[in-house]
Amino acid sequence: MTIAGEDARHLARVLRAQPGDRITATDGRGNLYEVVLTIVTPETVRGEVLAAGPDRAEPPLKITLFQSILKGEKMDWVLQKGTEVGITAFVPFLSARTIARPAPNQYAKKQERWQSIVTAAAKQSGRGLIPPVHPVTPWPAVPPMLTDQFTLVAWEGETTRSLRQALSQREQLSAVQLVIGPEGGFASEEVSALVRQGALSVSLGPRILRAETAGPLAAGLLLYHYDALEPAPSTFASNGR
Ligand code: SAH
């Protein structure tokens, strides 16, 4: 296995890794490798794979968070905290009341910046999967993008169905799409369009949450509900770093 770029520099310069050291590496796609290092330079680190296995930090419930873009640091916060909690993918979108509206020629740059926030958060929290941040999606494309996975739209105007009630219809769940609105909330037609595509609108309780609170909170509640917050034994018996 070869490790290049920033990770090689970090191993050589910051962690002062030496040939013979054992490390745990990830391919960013949910697999972990136990590796014994053979060559260490700041440009390239090489090693032999001793064992490979699935990363137990990856939750069995895959959550895709559709998040209407939030202003400034709030979006960064959702991406960082959402990654720590265990979200599997992010779809940033624009809806009628989105305040932060980057110009279309900024979409790619935004996506890149958000991806680097998620990548750093994934590494920091010991995840073997780096959740992808999808391209910025303008509203009309959002409802048709929903797959036939179970979908929840958090709507403060929902006065009857709680999250718990929505989940009680599903004893087991392996994937869910979660849709969260911008600071100003969803327009009611937007909620209807999502519901027509099969989404269930749910309340997250009697208090209005800040837009940046709703996604990470709901993700944590979903993982808890489906028993995906239990501690897991590490993939390899020996401890790497
Ligand atoms: N329009 C509201 C606030 C929107 S909160 C107002 O200004 O009063 C931003 C987003 O967080 C909402 O679009 C929704 O997705 C989610 N949200 C916040 N509080 C919620 C609640 N109690 N129930 C469900 N969703 C909520």
Side-chain angles (χ1 to χ4, degrees), residues 97 154-156 179-186 202-205 207-211 214:
R97 299 190 196 143
W155 184 40
E156 63 283 9
V179 193
I180 307 288
E183 291 89 343
F186 283 116
V202 292
S203 165
L204 295 176
R207 292 166 294 281
I208 302 282
L209 306 167
R210 293 271 189 143

Side-chain angles (χ1 to χ4, degrees), residues 1 3 11 23-28 31-35 49 51 53 128 236 241:
M1 150 170 308
I3 299 166
L11 274 167
I23 64 162
T24 302
T26 169
D27 58 7
N31 300 301
L32 288 185
Y33 301 89
E34 191 182 14
V35 180
V49 175
F236 307 119
R241 66 185 203 192

Side-chain angles (χ1 to χ4, degrees), residues 39-93:
I39 299 173
V40 181
T41 73
E43 292 75 39
T44 318
V45 173
R46 279 185 214 279
E48 269 169 43
V49 175
L50 301 175
D55 180 3
R56 302 222 163 77
E58 285 315 307
L61 171 62
K62 310 292 175 214
I63 303 173
T64 300
L65 176 63
F66 288 71
Q67 174 69 63
S68 187
I69 298 177
L70 304 176
K71 274 176 77 178
E73 288 190 335
K74 292 185 201 163
M75 190 67 180
D76 301 358
W77 198 87
V78 167
L79 296 163
Q80 186 188 72
K81 303 307 165 201
T83 301
E84 290 167 24
V85 168
I87 287 171
T88 295
F90 295 91
V91 182
F93 67 89

Side-chain angles (χ1 to χ4, degrees), residues 55-63 83-88 127 167 171-176 218-233:
D55 180 3
R56 302 222 163 77
E58 285 315 307
L61 171 62
K62 310 292 175 214
I63 303 173
T83 301
E84 290 167 24
V85 168
I87 287 171
T88 295
R127 290 185 67 171
L167 302 185
E171 205 173 304
Q172 293 195 335
L173 198 59
S174 58
V176 58
L221 295 171
L222 281 162
L223 292 171
Y224 183 78
H225 188 89
Y226 291 103
D227 217 18
L229 290 183
E230 295 305 305

